[in-house]
Amino acid sequence: MKLFLKIFFFLFFFSQSSAEIITTEGVFKHIGDISQKRACKLAEKRAKEKAVKEALGLKVSLEETQVCKGTDGQDRCEDNQTSILSLNGEITQVIVLNKEEGLDETRDPKVYYCKITIKAEVQSAFKEDKNFELQVKLNEMNFRNGDKLKLKFVVSEPLYLNVFQFFPYRNNEQILKLFPNKVEKTNFFKNSNFLLPTKPKNSSLKIDYIVEFPKKVKMERVDEHLIFIASKKNIKLLNSYFSMEDLNKRLIEIGKNSIVRKEQKTYTIIK
């Protein structure tokens, strides 16, 4: 009887919508510099992001993958790209099917791991307009401290644009708004081609986007990411978010009919 009830509840739990049901796993390895509890949370986070990616058929472009190969942590960079892809979906239901923790003593130093297997119900976070085109090109893919970042856009119709930077190496405020800002306040574009930074009207100020190598980071090459959110309405977003999860919650709250396209770009900073 108990087995029957468990199976019935499991089926009922995932039968409330037509969303995609995905079973997948996430693994996190470490050398003892974090707790196993933290490692398992990170493993579950990877599993959820992977579920969204698989459910919606999302892929990182070849160009983006090539950028990660030039960093001091290709796997970590690719994980960060998957985190951004997860903004496209919403996990409405999730259960943990299995949790496995262990230690590989054959390696020096010893490697601890946590593997989490989940079953998740995934829905699209917004209704993407397939007729709407948004192309973004960076002036460079590899920068050094003090270089200027410039962005070129090609769009198929007028839009409102928000641009965020993702700093995965930070513990807090990982997401900062790049555009609009205190100087560039207008984020509506009618023309099919435009550049960022813009030349603000009625302002004597000149604005540049300056790339800075992060302080207190021991790596020689780090990855940072840009998130482009195009909408038909002018949506209100904060200037910063603690994490990708917080930004994702806000985008879901905005509604599926407001956002028409989301793009991402990865770039490398060399010390």
Side-chain angles (χ1 to χ4, degrees):
M1 178 62 71
K2 289 183 179 180
L3 180 61
F4 171 78
L5 291 175
K6 183 176 181 180
I7 294 174
F8 176 80
F9 173 77
F10 185 80
L11 292 174
F12 176 79
F13 187 74
F14 287 103
S15 63
Q16 303 304 302
S17 72
S18 58
E20 289 288 330
I21 308 299
I22 297 294
T23 300
T24 189
E25 64 182 35
V27 181
F28 191 88
K29 299 179 181 180
H30 62 100
I31 57 174
D33 51 337
I34 65 172
S35 67
Q36 276 294 87
K37 183 178 180 180
R38 174 63 177 163
C40 289
K41 285 186 177 180
L42 292 171
E44 184 173 348
K45 177 176 178 289
R46 286 183 173 180
K48 289 178 179 178
E49 292 171 349
K50 188 178 177 182
V52 172
K53 183 179 178 182
E54 292 179 4
L56 302 182
L58 304 173
K59 294 182 180 180
V60 176
S61 69
L62 179 60
E63 180 187 45
E64 292 289 280
T65 302
Q66 292 295 325
V67 175
C68 280
K69 291 182 179 180
T71 65
D72 290 349
Q74 180 179 345
D75 291 343
R76 180 173 54 249
C77 177
E78 291 175 354
D79 282 342
N80 295 332
Q81 291 176 335
T82 300
S83 292
I84 300 173
L85 282 180
S86 68
L87 292 174
N88 290 278
E90 175 187 6
I91 293 182
T92 54
Q93 307 272 18
V94 64
I95 60 172
V96 176
L97 299 177
N98 188 52
K99 175 180 177 182
E100 180 184 335
E101 299 180 57
L103 170 64
D104 185 355
E105 298 188 39
T106 62
R107 300 178 64 177
D108 186 24
K110 297 177 182 179
V111 176
Y112 300 83
Y113 70 89
C114 181
K115 181 168 70 174
I116 301 290
T117 304
I118 65 169
K119 180 180 284 288
E121 179 182 271
V122 182
Q123 294 181 343
S124 177
F126 61 94
K127 188 176 181 180
E128 186 174 72
D129 186 346
K130 298 297 183 180
N131 296 318
F132 182 89
E133 292 189 48
L134 170 63
Q135 298 180 32
V136 188
K137 185 175 180 60
L138 280 62
N139 59 318
E140 300 287 348
M141 301 305 294
N142 298 295
F143 295 89
R144 291 190 178 274
N145 188 66
D147 286 348
K148 295 179 181 180
L149 169 67
K150 298 179 181 181
L151 306 169
K152 182 178 181 180
F153 296 84
V154 178
V155 298
S156 60
E157 58 186 84
L159 82 161
Y160 289 92
L161 179 68
N162 282 271
V163 183
F164 287 90
Q165 289 176 284
F166 174 36
F167 306 103
Y169 46 79
R170 288 187 176 183
N171 293 324
N172 291 304
E173 286 194 324
Q174 290 186 320
I175 312 292
L176 293 181
K177 186 188 286 183
L178 177 66
F179 178 86
N181 50 63
K182 292 181 179 180
V183 179
E184 302 173 291
K185 297 181 180 180
T186 303
N187 67 329
F188 180 70
F189 295 94
K190 293 182 179 179
N191 297 332
S192 58
N193 294 269
F194 58 92
L195 303 172
L196 288 182
T198 61
K199 295 180 179 179
K201 296 180 179 179
N202 302 321
S203 175
S204 59
L205 296 175
K206 179 183 178 182
I207 185 167
D208 290 316
Y209 301 156
I210 305 298
V211 176
E212 295 183 349
F213 193 89
K215 298 178 180 179
K216 299 181 180 179
V217 173
K218 297 180 179 179
M219 296 181 292
E220 295 296 320
R221 295 169 175 259
V222 297
D223 58 289
E224 292 183 354
H225 309 260
L226 294 169
I227 305 168
F228 306 92
I229 301 171
S231 58
K232 294 181 178 180
K233 301 177 181 179
N234 193 14
I235 57 180
K236 293 183 179 181
L237 296 167
L238 296 177
N239 291 327
S240 66
Y241 292 89
F242 288 115
S243 66
M244 194 66 66
E245 291 87 347
D246 293 321
L247 176 58
N248 194 22
K249 289 177 183 177
R250 178 57 183 146
L251 295 181
I252 291 171
E253 290 172 356
I254 289 171
K256 295 186 177 182
N257 295 322
S258 296
I259 300 171
V260 292
R261 182 61 61 91
K262 183 197 70 64
E263 295 291 337
Q264 65 190 76
K265 288 290 182 181
T266 302
Y267 59 91
T268 305
I269 310 177
I270 306 169
K271 183 180 284 188

